[in-house]
């Protein structure tokens, strides 16, 4: 699989950064927006970066009642003529609309739930594996019934944690939590294990426009006599700590902490309409929306430290609802998209959690925002693709995309970037590997999980910092990830970076598998 991304990187080498916009000269602090690219009559709602460098998307057709799935190459100039894939749904009207999805450890993509027109969720899952026969139905029904807005999270042992979301479009909650075991499924055994039935789960649900935000912590925390390595954040903004691995009573799987509310215990905010991401240092960033009644947005991001049970606040200056937060290879975060204002949500912002500072780009040049339903993905060339989303003031879905060039690439020619010329296809926990590079010195090496986003949410984004120093060696010995909590098994983009005194300039990403 690594060859796919490597091949894509060769093609990307021939593509320079987009030309400056009319907002003034480019600066490393600002970043740049590329041109708007049409997708015909299909608005993307789900997006997953594949090993080939292409993107699997599911979206809404122009008729408002068709939901095709398709694959595009983001390096094409467009416009894209969408060729729908045949998805083996069980009944006419079933689709992956508002499903949950995430990578398995072997690179397949698990889709759980979805929608049947505008009445109920789906009670089954489907696997995607890029190839000649990409779709594999999962015949066993979900144990918790129908799922819509389901959250799917890869755990440290390679199983998939599934929160069911809702039963139907009337927003009747389904709080069941279960595990999908790929090994059991492949062996013909029962793939699903119920962990928590509906009536035993606390308020972890999302709203009708959000998913429950779920993360596997890089370092488990012992609470109430058991290790907790999963965090769940529902619409209320309360943080729940969870144990999925031990044979516990359902109620005992949850634990809380005194300050585990967004912002703290004195003044706290909802997570309704917010985006969140797990940072390289183990903290969680929650940005956007979040006023107490869920009707507006606050111009703030909050940093939660699960180990210390403490919060920090970063003023962003832009109040966004449904922003997308994208981990960048230099350990910063790009905040893009969202609604809540005519001009400001069109501006990308780079949040540096280490310095707690924010830099803001000029806006893109079309008059509409990308609100609810928007997606954003880190590409192998270290740029960020944004797509879909609703326009301002109505429910019209945007059938287009564009690419944002972060500040670390402004004014940098492709041949001025570090180049990875050799890396193993797979790396092991705690084991060093040899990374061959050109264009050094190298000051930072990171792993970033490929994105799989919907509704501005991707809980399986992950960044692992493997090296931070100064090496001019053409062959650099890099330590592997500490363990499966730091980096759950699966595929990652590996980036090597050079610090030019102002910024970390990344290489093209190379796909490696952590085993």
């Amino acid at each position: 699989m690594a060859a796919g991304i490597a091949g894509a990187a060769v093609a990307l080498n021939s593509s320079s950064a987009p030309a400056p916009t009319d907002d003034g000269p480019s600066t490393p602090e600002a970043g740049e927006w590329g041109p708007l690219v049409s997708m015909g009559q299909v608005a993307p709602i789900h997006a997953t970066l594949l090993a080939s460098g292409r993107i699997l998307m599911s979206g809404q057709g122009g008729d408002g009642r068709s939901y095709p799935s398709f694959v595009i190459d983001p390096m094409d100039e467009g416009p894209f003529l969408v060729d729908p894939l045949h998805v083996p749904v069980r009944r006419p009207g079933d689709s992956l609309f508002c499903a949950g999805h995430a990578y398995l450890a072997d690179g397949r993509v698990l889709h759980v739930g979805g929608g049947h027109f505008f009445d109920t969720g789906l009670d089954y899952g489907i696997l995607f594996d890029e190839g000649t026969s990409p779709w594999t139905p999962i015949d066993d029904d979900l144990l918790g019934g129908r799922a819509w807005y389901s959250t799917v999270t890869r755990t440290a042992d390679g199983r998939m944690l599934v929160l069911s979301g809702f039963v139907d479009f009337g927003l009747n909650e389904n709080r069941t939590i279960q595990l999908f075991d790929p090994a059991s499924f492949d062996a013909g055994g029962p793939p699903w294990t119920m962990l928590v039935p509906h009536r035993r789960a606390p308020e972890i649900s999302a709203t009708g426009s959000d998913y429950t935000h779920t993360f596997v912590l890089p370092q488990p925390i012992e609470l109430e006599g058991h290790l907790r390595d999963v965090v769940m954040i529902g619409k209320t903004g309360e943080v729940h700590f969870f144990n999925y691995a031990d044979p516990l009573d359902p109620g005992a799987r949850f634990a809380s902490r005194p300050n585990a509310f967004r912002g703290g215990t004195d003044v706290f905010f909802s997570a309704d309409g917010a985006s969140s991401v797990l940072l390289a240092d183990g903290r969680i960033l929650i940005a956007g929306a979040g006023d107490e009644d869920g009707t507006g947005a606050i111009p703030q991001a909050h940093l939660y430290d699960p180990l210390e049970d403490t919060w920090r606040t970063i003023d962003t200056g832009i109040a966004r609802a449904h922003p997308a937060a994208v981990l960048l290879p230099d350990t910063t975060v790009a905040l893009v998209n969202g609604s809540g204002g005519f001009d400001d949500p069109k501006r990308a912002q780079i949040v540096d959690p280490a310095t707690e500072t924010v830099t803001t780009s000029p806006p893109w040049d079309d008059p509409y925002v990308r609100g609810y339903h928007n997606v954003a993905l880190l590409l192998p060339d270290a740029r960020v693709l944004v797509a879909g989303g609703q326009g301002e003031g109505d429910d019209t879905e945007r059938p287009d995309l564009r690419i944002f060039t972060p500040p670390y690439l402004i004014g940098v020619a492709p041949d001025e970037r570090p180049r990875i010329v050799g890396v193993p296809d797979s790396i092991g926990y705690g084991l060093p590997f040899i990374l061959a590079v050109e264009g050094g010195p190298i000051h930072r090496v990171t792993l970033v999980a490929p994105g799989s986003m919907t509704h501005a949410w991707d809980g399986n984004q992950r960044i692992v910092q493997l090296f931070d120093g100064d090496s001019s060696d053409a062959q650099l010995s890099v330590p592997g990830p500490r363990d499966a909590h730091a980096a759950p098994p699966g595929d990652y983009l590996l980036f090597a970076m050079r610090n030019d005194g102002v910024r970390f300039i990344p290489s093209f990403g190379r796909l490696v598998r952590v085993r």
Side-chain angles (χ1 to χ4, degrees):
M1 296 182 68
I5 290 292
V10 174
L12 295 176
N13 268 314
S14 64
S15 300
S16 60
T21 65
D22 294 332
D23 296 293
S26 300
T27 65
E29 294 79 16
E32 294 175 348
W33 287 105
L36 191 66
V37 180
S38 170
M39 302 189 71
Q41 296 298 311
V42 178
I45 295 173
H46 305 261
T48 297
L49 178 68
L50 301 173
S52 64
R54 301 193 301 165
I55 296 175
L56 171 66
M57 288 184 165
S58 296
Q60 185 178 54
D63 58 5
R65 291 183 63 82
S66 62
Y67 302 96
S69 296
F70 53 96
V71 174
I72 67 166
D73 185 340
M75 295 303 103
D76 288 347
E77 293 183 358
F80 293 101
L81 301 176
V82 171
D83 185 13
L85 298 169
H86 173 69
V87 182
V89 295
R90 290 185 180 178
R91 56 180 178 166
D94 285 0
S95 73
L96 300 181
F97 178 66
C98 298
H101 44 84
Y103 278 101
L104 302 184
D106 62 9
R108 291 176 292 176
V109 184
L110 173 64
H111 295 76
V112 177
H116 177 73
F117 287 132
F118 288 99
D119 51 12
T120 64
L122 308 185
D123 59 356
Y124 59 94
I126 305 176
L127 289 168
F128 178 87
D129 187 0
E130 191 174 18
T132 56
S133 299
W135 298 98
T136 302
I138 299 171
D139 293 331
D140 297 73
D141 290 348
L142 295 169
L143 299 179
R146 298 189 179 277
W148 188 55
Y149 281 76
S150 52
T151 297
V152 183
T153 307
R154 186 171 73 249
T155 68
D157 64 14
R159 294 182 292 174
M160 310 298 286
L161 189 67
V162 175
L163 283 69
S164 298
F166 301 97
V167 175
D168 53 31
F169 289 28
L171 305 187
N172 293 297
E173 294 182 356
N174 183 347
R175 297 185 186 179
T176 57
I177 301 174
Q178 54 199 299
L179 284 170
F180 175 78
D181 188 337
S184 181
F185 172 76
D186 291 338
W192 302 105
T193 300
M194 177 65 74
L195 296 180
V196 182
H198 172 76
R199 297 187 183 279
R200 299 297 303 277
E203 179 53 84
I204 54 170
S205 295
T207 67
S209 57
D210 285 305
Y211 290 58
T212 302
H213 293 191
T214 305
F215 305 97
V216 174
L217 295 175
Q219 184 174 338
I221 302 170
E222 184 171 351
L223 295 173
E224 300 177 12
H226 297 279
L227 289 178
R228 319 284 174 167
D229 65 350
V230 173
V231 158
M232 300 174 181
I233 306 173
K235 61 186 177 184
T236 64
E238 184 176 0
V239 181
H240 296 271
F241 293 80
F242 188 76
N243 176 301
Y244 70 89
D246 296 335
L248 300 177
D249 176 87
R253 292 190 180 279
F254 291 94
S256 60
R257 306 196 74 179
N259 293 321
F261 297 83
R262 182 183 178 185
T265 55
D266 294 330
V267 177
F268 64 90
F269 304 93
S270 80
D272 188 6
S275 187
S276 59
V277 70
L278 181 70
L279 303 172
D281 61 12
R283 292 182 296 171
I284 296 169
L285 180 144
I286 309 176
D291 70 340
E292 288 86 344
D293 62 6
T295 59
I298 56 175
Q300 292 178 343
H302 296 98
L303 296 171
Y304 180 59
D305 188 330
L307 290 176
E308 301 296 331
D309 192 29
T310 56
W311 293 86
R312 301 278 295 174
T313 299
I314 298 177
D315 291 325
T316 62
I318 296 179
R320 306 174 192 256
H322 306 291
V326 179
L327 288 170
L328 301 180
D330 64 350
T331 71
T332 62
V333 178
L335 289 180
V336 293
N337 302 341
S339 59
F342 184 76
D343 201 44
D344 282 344
K346 298 187 294 182
R347 299 174 180 269
Q349 294 184 290
I350 305 298
V351 180
D352 187 340
T355 60
E356 299 183 6
T357 56
V358 180
T359 56
T360 302
S361 79
W364 59 60
D365 54 5
D366 72 73
Y368 304 109
V369 299
R370 296 185 185 276
Y372 176 50
H373 278 166
N374 73 82
V375 294
L377 294 178
L378 176 71
L379 297 176
D381 68 353
R383 295 183 296 167
V384 177
L385 178 145
V386 303
Q390 293 181 352
E392 190 71 43
D394 59 32
D395 293 336
T396 302
E397 304 285 350
R398 296 198 55 169
D400 50 43
L401 59 83
R402 69 194 321 151
I403 293 177
F404 173 69
T405 300
Y408 51 50
L409 291 179
I410 300 301
V412 179
D415 60 2
E416 295 176 327
R417 299 171 62 172
R419 294 174 297 283
I420 297 174
V421 295
V423 65
D425 287 341
S426 63
I427 60 179
Y429 295 112
L431 301 176
F433 63 94
I434 299 300
L435 175 64
V437 293
E438 296 177 350
I442 298 302
H443 298 99
R444 181 170 290 175
V445 177
T446 56
L447 293 173
V448 185
S452 186
M453 180 175 283
T454 182
H455 296 64
W457 156 245
D458 179 359
N460 292 275
Q461 285 192 89
R462 204 169 195 90
I463 184 166
V464 184
Q465 189 165 316
L466 301 180
F467 173 80
D468 206 30
D470 186 353
S471 175
S472 298
D473 296 337
Q475 292 192 336
L476 177 64
S477 179
V478 179
R482 182 187 69 248
D483 55 29
H485 288 98
D491 291 337
Y492 292 80
L493 289 168
L494 185 140
F495 292 91
M497 282 159 278
R498 180 180 74 251
N499 190 337
D500 69 352
V502 177
R503 55 196 167 168
F504 285 93
I505 300 173
S507 67
F508 295 99
R510 291 286 296 270
L511 199 73
V512 299
R513 179 162 293 174
V514 176
R515 299 184 185 272

